Amino acid sequence: MAAQRGTPSSAVRVLEEALGMGLTAAGDARDTADAVAAEGAYYLEQVTITEASEDDYEYEEIPDDNFSIPEGEEDLAKAIQMAQEQATDTEILERKTVLPSKPAVPEVIEDFLCNFLIKMGMTRTLDCFQSEWYELIQKGVTELRTVGNVPDVYTQIMLLENENKNLKKDLKHYKQAADKAREDLLKIQKERDFHRMHHKRIVQEKNKLINDLKGLKLHYASYEPTIRVLHEKHHTLLKEKMLTSLERDKVVGQISGLQEILKNVEIGHSYHAPEMKVGRSREKENTPEGPTQKGLREAREQNKCKTKMKGNTKDSEFPIDMQPNANLNVCKENLSPAKFDYKLKNIFRLHELPVSCVSMHPHKDILVSCGEDRLWKVLGLPKGNVLLTGFGHTDWLSDCCFHPSGNTLATSSGDTTVKLWDLCKGDCILTFEGHSHAVWSCTWHSCGNFVASSSLDKTSKIWDVNSERCRCTLYGHTDSVNSIEFFPFSNTLLTSSADKTLSIWDARTGICEQSLYGHMHSINDAIFDPRGHMIASCDARGVTKLWDFRKLLPIVSIDIGPSPGNEVNFDSSGRVLAQASGNGVIHLLDLKSGEIHKLMGHESEVHTVVFSHDGEILFSGGSDGTVRTWS
């Protein structure tokens, strides 16, 4: 085949045009075809282009577009113009202005076919197509030029497909956003409903409290006139009583003087001095005494007896060799399961005012109850008959405790005193005075020679029974000392206070050995378990805590509030802890499983609770003046 050959550069150019590298415009393709028809047929030829050496290549200098004003030729107007141009460029970039693009020119049919064959890798077919195509052009077949461009429907289809894919992606994204918004809306609606119900409940409770408060105010207001009238009557009666006593004493004195004068007249003044002394003493014994004179005489006799006793007695000594704790063997022998199914059995109405304390006799089935009516009573069990009633305190009784022998009872009172009573006769044998405020609690030492008391005056005192004096005062608490307890068969004391602490003291030195912290409210009571390994305490918010006495660390905290816990007590086995609560419920805590059992039967607040020796019966005292038995 005869062919006209051009220069290598023209061959490469024709090759690029024939292969359709990039999208070529239709007008350019027609011009190229006309040029080929005018010059003759061209054939593809392989050309080898060798790399020129970098040393021989001449680089063309590129002018610097960054125009800068040389020094000395600075012009203010030019500088302002440059700043404005930079600001304009920045605005254009911020607006993201899209410059109009050139209209897309559709491909001609030959370029479309060439690009398709190259894309598919059909090189031999491409060579055949190009040979025949350009041969026809050389021959002058102009009908092929009328074929025109590739219809742009294919391009439009591709664009639409791409747009459809993008729209599907956007739709999926919007669906996900809608689902998330729906979930958030449902969650917000639920929270709104919850807060709405909570608000309604709080409003109802508020209205209820307001009504209760109004009722209490009315109830209190109805009592005020009665209380005022009673106070006036009380003061009037006291004045009348005082005047009557004075008049009676005056009359008795006058009668005694008249009797003396009459007797002297009858005798005729003929009596000897010793006989007169004897006669006068007999007359004094036979003449009636007024209450004031009688009280003075009894006080003198008591002072004489006390001075004689103090002259003959010495201070007791704290025991050094203490006997082992007998409760250790009892706890080991008692292997029967703990009892929790107590039922209300009897109700004994003993006091007119609230019961403050109940205590079991150490050896007998005898119970002592103390009340705010200033009385203490001894009950015989199980019938509950009153064996003995003691009175002598001038204010409410707060606590009582049996002597280890069981023959003497110690009581503490709001009149700032601690009294010792002989249970055989029911008489007060000793009174300890020294506290400046009400005494809350009292306890006996295991040797029986010492009594310890705690008071509202922030102190505790240790009293010697033999020398009848205060041996030691314990200072350290910053608020009222609410309870005191001797560690079994030792010289160690445990106190609980309204300053939210427990303190452990050495009774011999009066030094605080350790303080236990953990309660958030005033501690009302604290006690050792029978074995002495553990301490139980309760506070004014109903929280009960157990402490390891050997490690002096907390074991567990049980919240039974918000009603206050007034007293705690262990049973003889040490496995059950009872708490007297301010809401009228007795809580029984199983120390092995941690379960809490409730005993409900009191009509009002429960002040005290104690177990029988075998743990089969539980005794409780409440603010309604009753002692109740549970078995």
Side-chain angles (χ1 to χ4, degrees):
M1 290 185 353
Q4 184 179 2
R5 302 195 176 196
T7 61
S9 61
S10 62
V12 172
R13 180 172 55 81
V14 172
L15 177 61
E16 290 175 354
E17 292 174 356
L19 292 176
M21 301 300 289
L23 295 176
T24 309
D28 295 340
R30 288 193 183 93
D31 294 341
T32 305
D34 294 340
V36 172
E39 294 179 4
Y42 289 89
Y43 296 90
L44 297 176
E45 183 180 7
Q46 184 176 2
V47 178
T48 306
I49 300 174
T50 60
E51 291 185 4
S53 174
E54 293 181 358
D55 298 334
D56 299 337
Y57 187 80
E58 295 180 1
Y59 296 94
E60 183 180 357
E61 184 177 359
I62 299 173
D64 190 6
D65 295 335
N66 296 330
F67 177 77
S68 61
I69 301 173
E71 289 187 20
E73 298 181 6
E74 297 179 356
D75 190 358
L76 179 60
K78 290 182 180 180
I80 293 172
Q81 183 180 0
M82 290 177 64
Q84 291 177 351
E85 289 177 356
Q86 291 179 358
T88 306
D89 294 340
T90 305
E91 289 179 2
I92 292 172
L93 292 174
E94 289 177 353
R95 293 177 184 174
K96 297 182 180 179
T97 306
V98 179
L99 298 176
S101 60
K102 293 181 180 181
V105 180
E107 291 180 309
V108 294
I109 190 67
E110 62 266 31
D111 292 339
F112 177 78
L113 293 174
C114 289
N115 289 334
F116 175 75
L117 294 174
I118 290 171
K119 185 177 179 181
M120 300 302 295
M122 303 167 67
T123 55
R124 288 180 295 174
T125 306
L126 176 63
D127 294 339
C128 294
F129 170 74
Q130 287 179 339
S131 299
E132 291 181 4
W133 180 264
Y134 290 113
E135 186 177 354
L136 292 173
I137 292 174
Q138 185 67 27
K139 289 178 181 180
V141 181
T142 58
E143 295 176 357
L144 296 174
R145 291 294 180 185
T146 60
V147 175
N149 299 328
V150 178
D152 59 354
V153 65
Y154 304 107
T155 307
Q156 292 296 329
I157 289 172
M158 294 174 65
L159 293 174
L160 290 173
E161 286 180 353
N162 291 331
E163 188 175 359
N164 190 18
K165 289 180 181 178
N166 293 331
L167 290 174
K168 285 182 178 179
K169 289 182 180 178
D170 293 341
L171 180 62
K172 185 178 179 180
H173 176 71
Y174 292 146
K175 283 184 178 179
Q176 292 177 354
D179 294 338
K180 186 176 180 181
R182 189 180 297 107
E183 292 176 358
D184 293 341
L185 178 61
L186 292 174
K187 184 178 178 181
I188 291 171
Q189 287 177 347
K190 290 180 180 179
E191 291 180 355
R192 179 201 63 190
D193 296 338
F194 171 76
H195 289 298
R196 186 177 294 166
M197 293 297 294
H198 185 62
H199 176 69
K200 289 181 180 178
R201 185 170 64 251
I202 288 175
V203 170
Q204 291 176 357
E205 292 178 356
K206 175 187 172 184
N207 295 332
K208 183 180 177 182
L209 289 174
I210 289 172
N211 294 330
D212 293 342
L213 185 61
K214 290 180 179 177
L216 289 173
K217 285 183 178 178
L218 294 173
H219 188 64
Y220 177 73
S222 65
Y223 275 109
E224 280 187 349
T226 307
I227 294 172
R228 197 179 300 111
V229 171
L230 291 175
H231 275 298
E232 292 176 358
K233 289 183 178 180
H234 178 67
H235 288 303
T236 305
L237 290 173
L238 286 178
K239 289 179 181 178
E240 292 178 357
K241 179 183 176 183
M242 187 181 298
L243 292 174
T244 305
S245 300
L246 291 174
E247 290 178 359
R248 186 182 63 182
D249 293 343
K250 185 177 179 181
V251 171
V252 169
Q254 290 177 355
I255 293 171
S256 301
L258 291 173
Q259 287 179 351
E260 232 176 279
I261 293 170
L262 290 173
K263 208 153 209 180
N264 291 335
V265 170
E266 289 177 358
I267 295 172
H269 302 283
S270 60
Y271 55 87
H272 299 284
E275 292 178 357
M276 183 177 62
K277 287 180 182 178
V278 174
R280 285 180 182 176
S281 63
R282 288 177 180 174
E283 288 169 4
K284 286 182 181 179
E285 289 177 1
N286 295 330
T287 56
E289 289 182 334
T292 307
Q293 296 172 351
K294 184 179 179 181
L296 291 172
R297 181 176 57 78
E298 291 178 353
R300 291 192 190 98
E301 290 177 357
Q302 287 181 1
N303 289 331
K304 289 178 181 179
C305 294
K306 285 183 179 179
T307 52
K308 288 180 181 179
M309 290 177 66
K310 287 181 180 178
N312 298 329
T313 56
K314 297 181 180 179
D315 289 339
S316 304
E317 294 183 1
F318 285 95
I320 300 175
D321 299 328
M322 299 295 295
Q323 57 180 340
N325 189 352
N327 294 322
L328 294 174
N329 298 326
V330 173
C331 295
K332 291 179 181 178
E333 294 174 358
N334 193 353
L335 301 177
S336 59
K339 183 177 180 179
F340 298 99
D341 54 342
Y342 291 96
K343 302 294 181 183
L344 182 61
K345 186 177 181 181
N346 287 321
I347 300 176
F348 304 132
R349 301 192 178 275
L350 303 174
H351 299 273
E352 297 179 358
L353 294 177
V355 178
S356 57
C357 175
V358 290
S359 180
M360 281 293 298
H361 192 280
H363 310 299
K364 301 177 182 179
D365 290 334
I366 293 176
L367 184 75
V368 171
S369 68
C370 297
E372 294 184 9
D373 56 0
R374 309 177 187 178
L375 302 177
W376 56 266
K377 296 185 179 183
V378 180
L379 303 181
L381 299 176
K383 295 182 180 180
N385 51 322
V386 179
L387 304 178
L388 186 63
T389 300
F391 54 90
H393 283 286
T394 60
D395 210 336
W396 44 268
L397 273 68
S398 58
D399 194 13
C400 63
C401 184
F402 277 100
H403 187 277
S405 65
N407 297 326
T408 307
L409 182 72
T411 57
S412 57
S413 171
D415 61 6
T416 71
T417 65
V418 177
K419 289 182 179 292
L420 305 185
W421 308 82
D422 185 355
L423 293 181
C424 297
K425 301 178 181 178
D427 297 334
C428 177
I429 58 176
L430 192 58
T431 300
F432 294 119
E433 299 176 353
H435 285 289
S436 59
H437 290 85
V439 184
W440 289 121
S441 179
C442 61
T443 181
W444 283 93
H445 192 283
S446 57
C447 68
N449 294 328
F450 301 95
V451 176
S453 61
S454 62
S455 172
L456 182 63
D457 61 7
K458 308 177 187 179
T459 66
S460 301
K461 291 182 180 291
I462 301 174
W463 309 90
D464 192 331
V465 177
N466 293 324
S467 61
E468 303 177 8
R469 71 182 187 91
C470 176
R471 288 286 298 274
C472 184
T473 302
L474 310 180
Y475 298 96
H477 285 293
T478 59
D479 208 335
S480 170
V481 187
N482 295 331
S483 73
I484 190 166
E485 180 81 12
F486 267 109
F487 184 79
F489 303 98
S490 76
N491 298 318
T492 303
L493 271 171
L494 171 67
T495 58
S496 65
S497 172
D499 62 8
K500 309 171 190 176
T501 64
L502 298 172
S503 294
I504 298 170
W505 310 77
D506 187 343
R508 295 167 295 184
T509 60
I511 297 175
C512 178
E513 301 290 346
Q514 185 72 32
S515 292
L516 304 179
Y517 302 90
H519 279 281
M520 303 301 293
H521 300 86
S522 170
I523 305 176
N524 291 337
D525 191 31
I527 192 172
F528 290 103
D529 74 325
R531 302 180 66 184
H533 295 167
M534 191 163 47
I535 298 172
S537 59
C538 62
D539 64 21
R541 195 64 179 175
V543 177
T544 299
K545 286 183 177 289
L546 298 178
W547 310 77
D548 189 337
F549 180 62
R550 293 169 292 184
K551 298 180 181 179
L552 297 177
L553 293 174
I555 301 174
V556 68
S557 179
I558 306 107
D559 189 355
I560 319 179
S563 299
N566 295 323
E567 188 176 292
V568 287
N569 222 323
F570 286 95
D571 70 340
S572 57
S573 65
R575 291 177 292 178
V576 182
L577 178 68
Q579 184 211 54
S581 180
N583 59 359
V585 179
I586 301 172
H587 297 92
L588 300 179
L589 174 62
D590 187 353
L591 300 183
K592 187 175 182 181
S593 64
E595 296 181 359
I596 299 176
H597 305 266
K598 295 182 179 181
L599 301 181
M600 289 184 273
H602 276 274
E603 299 173 358
S604 56
E605 187 174 359
V606 185
H607 286 168
T608 179
V609 63
V610 67
F611 287 93
S612 62
H613 300 302
D614 55 3
E616 293 296 323
I617 304 176
L618 180 69
F619 303 95
S620 61
S623 61
D624 55 0
T626 63
V627 174
R628 303 182 182 228
T629 62
W630 311 75
S631 61

